[in-house]
Coordinates of all heavy atoms in Angstrom, one line a residue:
L435 N 0.9 -1.2 0.0 CA 0.0 0.0 0.0 C 0.9 1.2 0.0 O 1.9 1.3 0.7 CB -0.9 0.0 1.2 CG -1.8 1.2 1.5 CD1 -2.8 1.4 0.4 CD2 -2.4 1.1 2.9
Y436 N 0.5 2.2 -0.8 CA 1.4 3.5 -0.9 C 2.8 3.1 -1.3 O 3.8 3.8 -1.0 CB 1.4 4.2 0.4 CG 0.1 4.8 0.9 CD1 -0.4 4.5 2.1 CD2 -0.6 5.7 0.1 CE1 -1.6 5.0 2.5 CE2 -1.8 6.2 0.5 CZ -2.3 5.9 1.7 OH -3.5 6.4 2.1
G437 N 3.0 2.0 -2.1 CA 4.3 1.6 -2.5 C 5.2 1.0 -1.5 O 6.4 0.8 -1.7
Q438 N 4.6 0.7 -0.3 CA 5.4 0.2 0.8 C 4.7 -1.1 1.3 O 3.5 -1.3 1.1 CB 5.5 1.2 1.9 CG 6.3 2.4 1.5 CD 6.6 3.3 2.7 OE1 7.0 2.9 3.7 NE2 6.6 4.6 2.4
K439 N 5.4 -1.9 2.1 CA 4.9 -3.1 2.7 C 4.3 -2.9 4.1 O 5.0 -2.3 4.9 CB 5.9 -4.2 2.7 CG 6.3 -4.7 1.3 CD 7.3 -5.9 1.4 CE 7.6 -6.4 0.0 NZ 8.5 -7.6 0.1
F440 N 3.1 -3.3 4.3 CA 2.5 -3.3 5.6 C 2.2 -4.7 6.1 O 1.8 -5.6 5.4 CB 1.1 -2.6 5.5 CG 1.2 -1.1 5.4 CD1 1.6 -0.5 4.2 CD2 0.9 -0.2 6.5 CE1 1.6 0.9 4.1 CE2 0.9 1.1 6.3 CZ 1.3 1.7 5.1
T441 N 2.4 -4.9 7.4 CA 2.2 -6.2 8.1 C 0.8 -6.2 8.6 O 0.4 -5.3 9.4 CB 3.2 -6.4 9.2 OG1 4.5 -6.3 8.7 CG2 2.9 -7.8 9.8
V442 N 0.0 -7.2 8.2 CA -1.4 -7.4 8.7 C -1.3 -7.9 10.1 O -0.7 -8.9 10.4 CB -2.1 -8.4 7.8 CG1 -3.6 -8.6 8.4 CG2 -2.2 -7.9 6.4
I443 N -1.9 -7.1 11.1 CA -1.9 -7.5 12.5 C -3.3 -7.8 13.0 O -3.5 -8.3 14.1 CB -1.3 -6.4 13.4 CG1 -2.1 -5.1 13.3 CG2 0.2 -6.2 13.0 CD1 -1.6 -4.1 14.3
G444 N -4.4 -7.5 12.2 CA -5.7 -7.8 12.6 C -6.7 -7.9 11.5 O -6.5 -7.2 10.4
V445 N -7.8 -8.6 11.7 CA -8.9 -8.7 10.8 C -10.2 -8.5 11.5 O -10.5 -9.1 12.6 CB -9.0 -10.1 10.1 CG1 -10.2 -10.2 9.2 CG2 -7.7 -10.4 9.4
L446 N -11.0 -7.6 11.0 CA -12.3 -7.2 11.7 C -13.3 -8.2 11.4 O -13.3 -8.9 10.4 CB -12.7 -5.8 11.3 CG -11.8 -4.6 11.6 CD1 -12.4 -3.4 11.0 CD2 -11.6 -4.5 13.1
K447 N -14.3 -8.3 12.4 CA -15.5 -9.2 12.2 C -16.3 -8.6 11.1 O -16.5 -7.4 10.9 CB -16.3 -9.3 13.5 CG -15.7 -10.3 14.5 CD -16.7 -10.5 15.6 CE -16.2 -11.5 16.6 NZ -17.1 -11.7 17.7
K448 N -17.0 -9.5 10.3 CA -17.9 -9.1 9.2 C -19.1 -8.4 9.8 O -19.7 -8.9 10.8 CB -18.3 -10.3 8.4 CG -19.2 -10.0 7.3 CD -19.6 -11.3 6.5 CE -20.6 -11.0 5.4 NZ -20.1 -10.1 4.4
I449 N -19.5 -7.3 9.3 CA -20.7 -6.6 9.7 C -21.8 -6.5 8.7 O -22.9 -6.1 8.9 CB -20.4 -5.1 10.2 CG1 -19.8 -4.3 9.1 CG2 -19.4 -5.2 11.4 CD1 -19.7 -2.8 9.4
G450 N -21.5 -6.8 7.4 CA -22.4 -6.8 6.3 C -22.5 -5.4 5.7 O -21.7 -4.5 6.0
S451 N -23.5 -5.2 4.9 CA -23.7 -3.9 4.2 C -23.9 -2.8 5.2 O -24.3 -3.0 6.3 CB -24.8 -4.0 3.2 OG -26.0 -4.3 3.9
S452 N -23.5 -1.6 4.7 CA -23.4 -0.5 5.7 C -23.8 0.8 5.0 O -23.8 0.9 3.8 CB -22.0 -0.3 6.3 OG -21.9 0.8 7.0
L453 N -24.2 1.8 5.8 CA -24.5 3.1 5.3 C -23.1 3.8 5.0 O -22.4 4.0 5.9 CB -25.3 3.9 6.3 CG -25.7 5.3 5.9 CD1 -26.7 5.3 4.8 CD2 -26.2 6.1 7.1
G454 N -22.9 4.0 3.7 CA -21.5 4.6 3.4 C -20.5 3.5 3.3 O -20.9 2.3 3.0
D455 N -19.3 3.8 3.6 CA -18.2 2.8 3.5 C -18.3 1.8 4.7 O -18.4 2.3 5.9 CB -16.8 3.5 3.5 CG -16.6 4.2 2.2 OD1 -16.8 3.5 1.2 OD2 -16.1 5.3 2.2
S456 N -18.3 0.5 4.4 CA -18.4 -0.5 5.5 C -17.0 -0.8 6.0 O -16.0 -0.7 5.2 CB -19.1 -1.7 4.9 OG -18.9 -2.8 5.8
D457 N -16.9 -1.2 7.3 CA -15.6 -1.6 7.8 C -15.1 -2.9 7.1 O -13.9 -3.1 7.1 CB -15.8 -1.9 9.3 CG -15.9 -0.6 10.1 OD1 -15.6 0.5 9.6 OD2 -16.2 -0.7 11.4
D458 N -16.1 -3.6 6.5 CA -15.7 -4.8 5.8 C -14.8 -4.5 4.6 O -13.9 -5.3 4.3 CB -16.9 -5.6 5.3 CG -17.8 -6.1 6.4 OD1 -17.3 -6.2 7.6 OD2 -18.9 -6.5 6.2
S459 N -15.0 -3.4 4.0 CA -14.2 -3.0 2.8 C -13.3 -1.9 3.1 O -12.9 -1.1 2.2 CB -15.2 -2.6 1.7 OG -16.0 -1.5 2.1
S460 N -12.9 -1.8 4.4 CA -11.9 -0.7 4.8 C -10.7 -1.3 5.4 O -10.7 -2.5 5.8 CB -12.6 0.2 5.8 OG -13.8 0.8 5.3

């Protein structure tokens, strides 16, 4: 991301469709 490597440290629980941007797709 941004041309650099990021280490994944967490995955959020699925919340489903959302008003605006969902945490699922963030």
Side-chain angles (χ1 to χ4, degrees):
L435 172 66
Y436 294 122
Q438 299 188 37
K439 290 185 177 180
F440 283 73
T441 302
V442 178
I443 61 171
V445 178
L446 298 177
K447 280 188 175 180
K448 181 180 177 62
I449 63 172
S451 57
S452 173
L453 182 68
D455 288 312
S456 168
D457 286 350
D458 293 344
S459 56
S460 301

